[in-house]
Amino acid sequence: MLRLRVGAQMRTVLFSTEKWLNVEHPEMGLCPHEYGVIGSLATSGMGIVAQFHWDEFIKQNPDGDVDAALIKRCEQSKPAMVLATHVIQYAERNVKADIYGHIRDELKIPVVMLWGESAPDVVAHADALAPHVTLNLWIDTRAEWSKHTKFPEKCLRLFEPKDAALFNCDGDARRDIPLSFVGASFGRMDRSLNLGFLSGRSVGYFKAGGQRENPLSPADYAGFLKRSVVTMNFSSAVTFQHLTGRVIEAALCGAMLLESENSETSELLDPYADYVPFKEPFHWIGNGQIGFQDGDLAEKATHYAYQKPDEARAIAESGRRKVLERCDGREFWGKLFEALGIKDEDPT
């Protein structure tokens, strides 16, 4: 349930983000921010969305000045803050760092740079931007980024919010998929081996999605999660474990999360009460190598998806309630506004 504030004007957030997963291939679909931080602001009742898709501007205006266009958008929308992204692969096509510094220092608008992965090379880019932004915001781990940053005082960690208008249990979708994996396995050797291990043990599962394999619309992606009794997730980022967006999306859609063991998800959800961890048969052991161990993925998948689906549904509902309370946008935006000293606007 949304909690709207009475007697206060809503705060506008300008999102300076990419529109597409891949600017060269728009057919791959929209960037997940559209149904993550962006969608959560409006559906949680915490603010008003203004947008500037810098990749779309560059694509449509190859000779245009993206930096000047962003400044103009700030002057037009007069936001309480700018939440921005920087895509490492786009290099010089990103908005320049000093432009964000101008927005922060000259226009007096706080600038928050959102980062979805705490890998060392990503943290290095965040550090390069740190002198020009108000905060670097991390959503995937509680502390991995802190091992690499030179500017810990400029960092904040929050759980990623999701658009509850898309990820929910509303409607009459039937739970007709006992076990699913809705994500990428192409180029993810550990995932491919573990899924193959399940097949070898005659554990049936439904597979869909993957950016390169079979791109799904947001509605189709959420639809498969809503139809799943149990859905699997893998938390490895090869050299560290992280909290993926699928954890929150699956829980909001009422699917029981069966996820590889890690220390991140348990910060948000209680093991066996809100989700079920499993030990991966195939797992990264360092130096780009994968090892094998006596895992319990097949046993737990069989138990919860096929033998005890009612038990799975009870765990899923507990997880759904907890994630709805913490990841529908109210906590994220409330804590971010508080960190920046942004208050409700006086309607007078």
Side-chain angles (χ1 to χ4, degrees):
M1 180 178 295
L2 302 183
R3 300 171 184 172
L4 303 179
R5 293 168 300 283
V6 178
Q9 292 180 337
M10 302 296 285
R11 296 159 289 198
T12 296
V13 175
L14 175 60
F15 295 90
S16 173
T17 65
E18 71 274 26
K19 180 176 182 178
W20 296 295
L21 282 169
N22 187 321
V23 68
E24 306 300 341
H25 297 280
E27 69 277 5
M28 288 185 174
L30 297 176
C31 178
H33 299 316
E34 295 293 326
Y35 47 86
V37 290
I38 297 173
S40 74
L41 180 65
T43 58
S44 64
M46 294 296 289
I48 297 171
V49 173
Q51 290 185 274
F52 177 76
H53 291 306
W54 47 264
D55 61 339
E56 182 179 41
F57 178 89
I58 293 170
K59 189 174 184 66
Q60 296 178 349
N61 305 274
D63 297 321
D65 188 338
V66 66
D67 300 325
L70 174 58
I71 291 174
K72 182 178 180 180
R73 188 74 179 94
C74 287
E75 294 170 343
Q76 291 172 336
S77 59
K78 296 180 172 58
M81 63 168 286
V82 171
L83 190 144
T85 56
H86 179 95
V87 180
I88 295 174
Q89 296 88 335
Y90 291 173
E92 296 302 319
R93 288 186 288 180
N94 288 278
V95 174
K96 294 182 179 62
D98 60 356
I99 296 302
Y100 288 119
H102 174 85
I103 292 169
R104 182 194 63 185
D105 299 334
E106 301 301 323
L107 302 185
K108 305 302 180 184
I109 301 171
V111 178
V112 175
M113 194 65 62
L114 179 69
W115 303 96
E117 185 175 323
S118 299
D121 61 329
V122 177
V123 177
H125 281 81
D127 277 2
L129 285 161
H132 307 277
V133 303
T134 310
L135 285 174
N136 277 318
L137 177 60
W138 304 93
I139 56 176
D140 70 323
T141 68
R142 72 183 89 185
E144 181 67 23
W145 46 268
S146 66
K147 300 175 183 177
H148 313 291
T149 184
K150 298 175 183 177
F151 300 95
E153 73 283 359
K154 299 290 289 286
C155 293
L156 178 68
R157 189 285 173 98
L158 295 172
F159 291 123
E160 182 183 16
K162 296 293 179 178
D163 185 348
L166 174 65
F167 298 107
N168 56 61
C169 289
D170 300 341
D172 55 359
R174 295 177 55 226
R175 297 274 171 194
D176 58 352
I177 301 175
L179 179 65
S180 71
F181 176 67
V182 190
S185 58
F186 180 82
R188 309 289 183 93
M189 184 61 68
D190 56 330
R191 297 182 184 182
S192 297
L193 289 171
N194 283 312
L195 292 173
F197 179 81
L198 275 184
S199 298
R201 297 286 296 272
S202 299
V203 180
Y205 64 90
F206 173 83
K207 168 73 171 70
Q211 179 180 344
R212 299 179 184 178
E213 301 152 73
N214 182 26
L216 298 173
S217 70
D220 286 342
Y221 170 68
F224 288 129
L225 293 176
K226 293 177 183 181
R227 291 171 55 191
S228 300
V229 177
V230 176
T231 193
M232 294 176 285
N233 188 49
F234 300 92
S235 60
S236 176
V238 183
T239 58
F240 62 96
Q241 303 291 317
H242 60 170
L243 181 69
T244 69
R246 191 172 295 113
V247 169
I248 297 166
E249 294 155 357
L252 288 175
C253 289
M256 193 205 86
L257 178 69
L258 182 62
E259 183 179 57
S260 53
E261 293 177 343
N262 68 87
S263 61
E264 297 294 336
T265 299
S266 58
E267 184 188 8
L268 175 64
L269 300 172
D270 292 329
Y272 297 100
D274 305 318
Y275 79 107
V276 174
F278 67 85
K279 182 181 291 185
E280 294 177 287
F282 293 93
H283 63 289
W284 292 102
I285 58 174
N287 298 318
Q289 297 182 344
I290 293 179
F292 179 80
Q293 61 186 349
D294 290 330
D296 56 9
L297 171 58
E299 291 77 10
K300 287 180 174 176
T302 300
H303 176 85
Y304 290 101
Y306 295 102
Q307 296 175 345
K308 299 289 184 179
D310 290 342
E311 189 176 342
R313 289 188 178 95
I315 293 172
E317 176 58 21
S318 179
R320 186 193 69 83
R321 290 195 301 266
K322 190 168 293 183
V323 168
L324 182 62
E325 182 66 26
R326 301 201 63 185
C327 301
D328 71 343
R330 291 171 292 167
E331 178 177 296
F332 177 92
W333 291 107
K335 288 186 175 181
L336 185 53
F337 288 146
E338 181 181 6
L340 296 172
I342 298 174
K343 303 182 183 302
D344 286 328
E345 298 176 5
D346 188 341
T348 61

